[in-house]
Structures are given as structure tokens and as C-alpha cells.
Amino acid sequence: YLALLAHGKPNSVELLDAMATHLAGHIEVDEVRRWRKPSVSVPPPESDHTEIAEWAHAALTAVGD
């Protein structure tokens, strides 16, 4: 399971989607879930950290721009 966490900046979602697609071409990825911070200036909610840690085998984060 792969978690994607976008940092709230422009293009961070697109960057993560491209990375997930690239990885899926090289390794088996059963499922991808996406999270997005509410703003670039605040950390993700603690509930997101917990959910990602309990669910994912790996996580990617991206700033974008």
C-alpha cells in the first residue's frame, strides 16, 4: 500500500500522481491512497499521520511548484 501526502503547494498532487504511476511500472502496488495538507504553512493533522502509519507500507511526500 502506497500513501501519497501532498504538501499543499501547486503541482504537488500532480507530482505525486506521476511518481505513483512510475513506481507502479517497476514494483507491485496494490493500492494508492492520497492525503493533502490543508495548507503549505501547517502540518498534516495528527489523524492523517496515524492513518498513514497504520495503513501504508510506504509513503511519498511532495512539495511541488
Side-chain angles (χ1 to χ4, degrees):
Y1 298 137
L2 178 62
L4 306 179
L5 174 61
H7 281 259
K9 291 193 86 175
N11 300 314
S12 58
V13 171
E14 292 82 359
L15 177 60
L16 286 170
D17 284 342
M19 288 299 302
T21 299
H22 179 76
L23 281 173
H26 296 281
I27 62 172
E28 185 176 332
V29 177
D30 292 330
E31 187 177 346
V32 176
R33 287 189 192 169
R34 292 160 178 80
W35 286 262
R36 184 181 183 118
K37 289 179 20 174
S39 167
V40 70
S41 62
V42 298
E46 188 62 36
S47 60
D48 286 358
H49 279 270
T50 301
E51 187 175 354
I52 291 168
E54 290 175 354
W55 178 82
H57 294 129
L60 295 176
T61 65
V63 175
D65 270 347

